[in-house]
Structures are given as C-alpha cells and as structure tokens.
Amino acid sequence: MTLEEARLARSKKVNKIEKVKDLKNPMEAFDAISRYAKEGYDSIPDEDKKYFLKCFGIYDKDSLTPKQFMMRVRVAGGHLNAAQARTLGEIAQKYAQDYIDITTRAQIEFRYLNIEDIPAILSELESAGLNAYQTGVDNFRNIVTDPLDALGFDNILPSFELLKKLQDKFLFNPEWISTLPRKFNTAITGSTANRCNVFGHDCCFVLAQKDGLYGYNMYLGGRVGMIAKSADIFLASEEEVLLAFDALIDIFKKYGFRDNRNKNRLHFLINMAGMDSITTAIREVAGVDFATAGDTLTTLNAHDTQHGKMQLKDGTFGVQIVVPSGIFSGSALLRAAKLSEEFGNSELRFSVEQNLYILGVKDTQKLLQNGLFREYKNVNSPYLNNLIACAGTEHCSFGVIENKRDAIALSEYLTNAVPLESGRVRLYWSACVKGCGTHEIADIGFEGCKAKIDGVTEDGVHITLGGKIVSDGKNGYTVLKSAPLRFARFYVESLVLEYKKLRNKQESFEQFHDRVLTQYTPAYIGFYMRLQAYLRAKKIPNELRINAVAKTGKNEEFELFELGRKLYYQLAKEEAYTAYSRFTNKNKREKLLDLRKIDPDIDENIAQMTFKMLESEEKRAVVFSELIEFITL
C-alpha cells in the first residue's frame, strides 16, 4: 500500500522518454539495424537514434563525430578470456580507429563507428559470446564484481557464477528491455577487499556472515552522490539472492517513478516509501522471510594497485596493467590477449578503476619485460595507479570539460611535482554533475564545471575529499567550488605535499585524511590549498603545515584566527599579540603591528590578508570566503 501511494503521488505526469517508449517495441529498432546499414545514417528515425538503439548499446554521436556511433559492450563482471579480448581488439582495429575506452563498470566502449559496420560488429561480438544488449538507457547495466573473484586469497564466496545467474534474469529478455523506470546498477562481491565499488549501486550484494554462515548482506539505493544503505537483509544462499533480486526488480518495475527522470532511480522510491516498506515488499514478493543483516565483511581497501601483482590461491599471480583514464587501444588489447596465453591462463579482467589484469601468471619477471609494459606500466605513480575519468566533452555530449586528458595531465604534474615512492591516492574525475567518474567516492574527486576569471568563463572543477569505498562506503565533501581547471593542479599539490610530509609509514591518503584532515572544516582545507598555491606562485617561503592550526572543534572563525596567528609568526618571527583568550587577543587595547612595517618587501596581498585575519574582533574576517580575493592566482 505504501509503495502504491508513493507511485500514485508521482504519477500525475510522465517524462518525455516514457512517451518515446510507447512509440514502438525496442526490438523493432534492433531488427531494423541491417536495413539502416544498407540505407545509411539518414534513414534512421530520430526516436531510434535518441533512444531505442541505446537499448542495445548503440549511441548516436552525430553532434561529436558526424554520423557516427559509440557502442558499449557488456563484459559481465569485467571477466573475459583471450579469445574474447582478441575479438574486441580486432573490432577496434577494423571499425573503431583502434580506440577503446575501459569504463567504470568494467566493460568497454568503441567509438567512431559507422552504421554500415554495426551488423558485422554485432555478429563478431556474438561469435565470441559477447554482446551490447541493454547497456544503455532504462535497462540493467553491466553487473560488476571482484576482478579476482574465485582466485584471490581474500575471496571467500566466489560470486561470478551467481552474477551470471542474476544476469540471466533480464539479458535478452523482452520483458526487461526498456521496461524499467530508469537504469539499474548491480554489484556483487564475496571478497573482504572492495575491488568493485560494491556500495555504489542500486542493488548491492556484499559478503557477510551470520550465525556462522557466509552469505550476502543486501544494500539498496546507491547512485551518483549516494552510497547504498543497508536493507537489513541477509541472504544465506544463491537461491535466496536470486529470489531477493527477482522480487526487487519486480517492485522497481511496478512502483518506480516515471515522471522526473532526474529523480526516478530506486534511491528516490526508497526515500519516499521508506526502506522498511521496500524490504517488507521484497520478503512478501519473494515469499521468504529473509534473515536480518549479518556482519558485513567487505571492509578492506585493496592495495593491489600499489604492488602491480597479487598472488592467487593457486600460487600464480594476477598482473596489473595500469590504463590511465581508461584510454586503451585495440592493438594493446590484442597484445594483452597474446601475453595472457603465453604467460597466464588466458584470462583477463577489467576493473572499475579502468585498469586491466592478466591472470594465472607464473613468471611475472619475464612477462614484465614485454614492451607493452613500457607503454602501460605495471605500477605507475600513486597518482595514476587508481585514476578514473569518464568520457568528457570529446566523447560525451553531457561533458562540461575534456576530462580524460585533464585527469592524466594533473596526475602527471603531481608525479613530477610531489613524487611519492609509495602511497595510494584515488583521483576520480567526472566531466559533469552526472558523476560517471564516481568522483564523490574518491580520496580527491573532481567534477567538471565552469569557472570565471576576470569575468571570462573557462573550464573548472569542483574538488571533493574524503570519499570511501569500504565500511559501507561514504561520499566525499566539497572543499573548492568552481576552481579554474588550469589552477586545480596547484591546489591539489598543496594537499598532497601535506600528505607526503605528514603521513605515517605506509599510510594511504584515505588514512591520512581520517587522521589529519577530518579535524578541520572543508572551508579551512580549501583555503589552505589556495593559500599554499599562492605562496608557491609568489615564491614566498613558508613552513606552515596544515596541522599547524590546533584542534578547534571545526569552528571556522577559530581556524581562521589560528591560521592568521601562525602565518603572522612565520612572516614576522613574533606573535601578533602578547596574550590570547580563545580566538581573540586578550588585551583589547593592544594594536596589531602592520607586517609591512616589519618587512617593507612583503607581498601586499599577504600583508593585507593577515591583518584582516587578526585585526580587532569587530572588524576582522570570520569566514575564509572573505579572504579569497587576496590569494587568487
């Protein structure tokens, strides 16, 4: 009843895509592909270009590459064998200008495709056991899992075979092609390390234990900007997982909203009806009184990327190929396929961080001598090992910034400016607010936007910190809004310099964030990033560390005053006042000595800013935003 009330409340109108869906059965568009290939691009109806062909992973990119298409290929769980990899590489060479994108759902995308070649591509994919079905619009997207499933030492419940059973529920089934209110993302892992961003999906099955049994806790409602929440359901067997999934997708199909597409994901149904109503409905529809949640065991970060290889249960190794921003090629994939046969067990895996693994390797040293690892490193810098970037303006009409090469350029700058021998820094980039680069769960995230300098609009980014992919996951928070892209590298440099100087041995950036940065407000962190960038640009020496400000209980006014004190002492070599009472000078009659009288050559902006941070209580700045003008690059 609660779900029906929620549906009715949001059923006063339907969005325009729902009206497009009523025009035809999606299979009509799929069956017409051969005819379109013969008659040419201009013969394709608008509704097929804009919607129906996307149901089969075929995206019209006329606005970016005239009369050409992108194709998204489903690679279940990111798992593929050498023969499939060879097929993908050959297709890229023959039809897609040798270009491949590895995506954040551990699959691949071809670009620059002509409609005349689409039937041949689909046929070649089918012959290799691959397809592009239901990889776009209102369908079940590629299900992700641990790339080391069944092989890694930390994998307790092999999940890939169960993933395929989940996929069998909807794949190629006309009842589920374009019948959902919105796209639906699923993840499953039976490992203690989270290698697949398992908490970031509409439906998440996460390794758990209850009453001595291993199974899966169910989490629901993840999407861009939102981590999934516990459904308080423990699934003790594969049969229970399949029943719960069946029930959930039936519920979403029947009661999901079809009005505002921006608010039609499962997350919004849960918000409106309540998680208790959803879980009650799942139990009723499945006909099983599922147990309440057990102990979630997927609580670890995977550190494989730092080592480049990881020992597997059978004594062989999985060997990493780092692919910054997921920009790959058919030629490189063909070489990887050959290497997997020569040195491994002919199995490869894509990861959600857009990298690639060759599995079953016995002689890692000999493998790493191959020239492929000069082009794509086995272990790159900590700024490139875990780099994620979605398509951006070159390939996506939603993109606000170029993104992929922006991400690589910033990471390469940091590699040279702040070299780290070890460490883990997850830099995730999304080219727009849609968040396909999962920036909000990054250690340091970037969301494309526009920024203004002297009234002129240019590319920019919102910068976030503190995202997590373990322990139920966590979204980050914004520290800088609309930072000009050309300056973003300098702001982030300020932060990773602190990481390098203050971190404990073997400490990841996430651990450093939790130990140090969580003591401060986002405003202070963002201001500190700007301030240090300004001081470096002006070649003003300073030894001011981010933790120089004492714990203030995250009181921004207190942080500002304390930072002013520390900065003044650095520049003047003496305290601003003789005594203090909390965050003000104790002697109200005491006057602040102008830094310009101490050092006539001091930077004018820094002198004025410091004075504004410390002057009399009635006049001084109390929030950092009042001071940005003094340190703008």
Side-chain angles (χ1 to χ4, degrees), residues 3 134 138-141 143 165-171 173 175-187 202-205 218-220 240-258 264 266 269-270 278 281-283 285-286 290:
L3 291 172
Q134 293 151 280
D138 300 346
N139 288 289
F140 295 96
R141 306 301 182 85
I143 302 176
K165 292 176 183 178
L166 292 170
Q167 181 176 270
D168 287 343
K169 298 287 182 180
F170 58 81
L171 191 60
N173 185 344
E175 292 184 11
W176 291 108
I177 299 175
S178 185
T179 58
L180 295 174
R182 201 68 170 83
K183 70 178 179 180
F184 195 92
N185 291 335
T186 309
D202 295 276
C203 177
C204 321
F205 300 108
M218 193 176 195
Y219 288 74
L220 299 175
E240 287 195 352
V241 171
L242 295 171
L243 286 170
F245 185 71
D246 268 0
L248 175 65
I249 61 180
D250 281 340
I251 290 164
F252 182 54
K253 181 178 178 180
K254 182 174 182 179
Y255 297 105
F257 306 138
R258 297 178 184 267
N264 280 8
L266 177 66
L269 178 61
I270 293 170
I278 298 292
I282 289 172
R283 290 180 168 95
V285 173
F290 298 116

Side-chain angles (χ1 to χ4, degrees), residues 290-313:
F290 298 116
T292 56
D295 296 322
T296 295
L297 301 183
T298 305
T299 57
L300 301 177
N301 267 313
H303 295 275
D304 310 331
T305 50
Q306 295 172 243
H307 305 286
K309 62 181 181 180
M310 57 294 302
Q311 187 178 10
L312 305 177
K313 290 179 182 178

Side-chain angles (χ1 to χ4, degrees), residues 34-43 116:
S34 294
R35 175 165 57 83
Y36 297 153
K38 293 176 183 177
E39 297 177 0
Y41 177 88
D42 293 333
S43 69
E116 293 79 7

Side-chain angles (χ1 to χ4, degrees), residues 344-403:
N345 61 4
S346 299
E347 293 291 323
L348 302 98
R349 301 287 184 266
F350 294 126
S351 77
V352 297
E353 288 189 321
Q354 300 175 300
N355 292 332
L356 181 65
Y357 295 92
I358 295 175
L359 301 182
V361 178
K362 295 180 180 178
D363 191 342
T364 59
Q365 188 173 2
K366 192 171 182 180
L367 169 63
L368 293 173
Q369 291 172 359
N370 187 274
L372 180 63
F373 291 96
R374 287 191 290 274
E375 186 176 354
Y376 298 95
K377 293 184 179 181
N378 170 239
V379 179
N380 213 315
S381 85
Y383 310 111
L384 288 155
N385 281 332
N386 303 92
L387 181 65
I388 285 178
C390 66
T393 52
E394 184 177 355
H395 299 303
C396 178
S397 56
F398 295 111
V400 179
I401 60 174
E402 191 282 333
N403 206 51

Side-chain angles (χ1 to χ4, degrees), residues 81 117 203 243 255 493 559:
N81 58 43
D117 298 321
C203 177
L243 286 170
Y255 297 105
E493 179 184 0
E559 290 174 333

Side-chain angles (χ1 to χ4, degrees), residues 11-231:
S11 295
K12 295 175 183 176
K13 60 179 180 179
V14 295
N15 63 65
K16 61 182 180 181
I17 295 299
E18 290 296 328
K19 294 176 181 177
V20 170
K21 290 181 187 180
D22 290 337
L23 295 177
K24 63 174 71 171
N25 185 314
M27 293 307 300
E28 294 178 43
F30 185 81
D31 293 339
I33 289 174
S34 294
R35 175 165 57 83
Y36 297 153
K38 293 176 183 177
E39 297 177 0
Y41 177 88
D42 293 333
S43 69
I44 307 173
D46 280 349
E47 65 268 18
D48 286 5
K49 292 176 185 174
K50 292 177 180 177
Y51 184 82
F52 289 107
L53 289 178
K54 293 179 183 179
C55 294
F56 309 99
I58 302 166
Y59 285 69
D60 178 32
K61 293 295 177 182
D62 183 51
S63 62
L64 299 170
T65 54
K67 297 189 177 184
Q68 290 185 321
F69 293 85
M70 177 271 280
M71 181 183 290
R72 183 178 295 143
V73 178
R74 183 182 293 274
V75 182
H79 292 213
L80 74 165
N81 58 43
Q84 292 172 323
R86 189 175 296 110
T87 296
L88 294 174
E90 290 170 351
I91 289 173
Q93 285 186 328
K94 285 190 287 185
Y95 307 110
Q97 299 181 22
D98 201 29
Y99 185 89
I100 285 175
D101 272 328
I102 303 174
T103 78
T104 56
R105 298 205 68 78
Q107 55 196 349
I108 67 107
E109 292 176 351
F110 297 125
R111 303 191 184 278
Y112 315 115
L113 304 180
N114 298 313
I115 188 62
E116 293 79 7
D117 298 321
I118 297 293
I121 295 170
L122 293 174
S123 177
E124 290 176 35
L125 288 173
E126 185 179 5
S127 68
L130 296 167
N131 67 86
Y133 256 71
Q134 293 151 280
T135 56
V137 289
D138 300 346
N139 288 289
F140 295 96
R141 306 301 182 85
N142 198 40
I143 302 176
V144 299
T145 192
D146 185 349
L148 303 185
D149 181 76
L151 302 175
F153 273 100
D154 66 329
N155 182 249
I156 295 174
L157 285 182
S159 302
F160 182 63
E161 293 304 316
L162 177 53
L163 178 155
K164 290 193 290 186
K165 292 176 183 178
L166 292 170
Q167 181 176 270
D168 287 343
K169 298 287 182 180
F170 58 81
L171 191 60
F172 306 122
N173 185 344
E175 292 184 11
W176 291 108
I177 299 175
S178 185
T179 58
L180 295 174
R182 201 68 170 83
K183 70 178 179 180
F184 195 92
N185 291 335
T186 309
I188 183 169
T189 184
S191 301
T192 57
N194 185 0
R195 295 186 184 88
C196 62
N197 176 24
V198 72
F199 298 102
H201 310 264
D202 295 276
C203 177
C204 321
F205 300 108
V206 188
L207 178 67
Q209 188 179 47
K210 182 164 186 172
D211 296 331
L213 295 174
Y214 287 109
Y216 302 90
N217 279 342
M218 193 176 195
Y219 288 74
L220 299 175
R223 66 177 187 90
V224 171
M226 292 290 171
I227 296 295
K229 297 179 181 179
S230 173

